[in-house]
Amino acid sequence: MVVGVEFHRYEKLSYFDSAGVEVNLRDWVVARIPRGFQLAQVAELRPRREGEEPFPSLERPATSEDHQRQYRNRLRAAEALLLARQKVAEHKLEMQILNSEITLDGDRLVYYFYAEARVDFRFLLKDLAGAFHRRIELF
């Protein structure tokens, strides 16, 4: 079975192989993406089509502990967003930090930013990595 999931509401669906994980529409699952593990909600279920490329497998159904961890990570990400914006101002960087998120496993802190031109943010990364002791990625 192919499972279409939403990581963020109204975002394009990402597809996974159910890999024996029993799910229904609107269930929450844990899926591995290149940045780490994330919670996602099932938005589509369908059979595999002939000749279709293989999809990555779902990890497992989400637990209440996963939801609690996600909630704590969102609180930490909000704090991290404020600190990043402060550091951007301190370093006088020509960029805007738009959003931040922490992967479900807590290994990575991801910032989304906008800049009209290339920005050397090496010092920003160093400051943020020192403050949060996890891998920092900017997109």
Side-chain angles (χ1 to χ4, degrees):
M1 181 70 68
V2 175
V3 180
V5 301
E6 291 177 317
F7 290 103
H8 300 284
R9 197 147 178 87
Y10 309 115
E11 193 174 79
K12 182 180 171 185
L13 294 184
S14 298
Y15 291 93
F16 292 84
D17 189 308
S18 66
V21 175
E22 292 200 25
V23 295
N24 296 306
L25 284 176
R26 310 317 299 161
D27 282 355
W28 288 91
V29 295
V30 174
R32 180 191 293 266
I33 59 173
R35 290 190 298 266
F37 294 101
Q38 286 292 101
L39 276 184
Q41 192 169 30
V42 176
E44 180 183 336
L45 295 168
R46 66 172 174 80
R48 178 173 297 286
R49 296 179 184 135
E50 191 174 320
E52 196 169 43
E53 293 289 321
F55 294 104
S57 299
L58 284 178
E59 291 295 317
R60 58 185 169 75
T63 64
S64 61
E65 183 179 299
D66 292 324
H67 287 282
Q68 290 169 3
R69 184 179 299 125
Q70 180 78 354
Y71 176 76
R72 289 190 306 270
N73 286 348
R74 284 186 178 154
L75 293 177
R76 288 185 194 118
E79 293 171 11
L81 181 62
L82 295 175
L83 180 64
R85 288 177 174 165
Q86 176 186 350
K87 293 295 182 182
V88 164
E90 285 176 17
H91 291 292
K92 297 181 172 118
L93 298 173
E94 295 293 322
M95 64 188 294
Q96 294 177 347
I97 304 292
L98 304 173
N99 201 2
S100 63
E101 63 183 25
I102 297 175
T103 57
L104 184 63
D105 55 14
D107 287 345
R108 296 179 192 205
L109 172 55
V110 180
Y111 287 102
Y112 299 92
F113 74 95
Y114 172 77
E116 288 188 15
R118 286 184 62 104
V119 176
D120 182 0
F121 46 71
R122 289 178 290 181
F123 295 111
L124 174 64
L125 278 175
K126 185 176 178 179
D127 286 351
L128 296 173
F132 297 110
H133 306 290
R134 55 177 48 102
R135 183 177 174 147
I136 307 293
E137 295 183 5
L138 288 135
F139 287 100

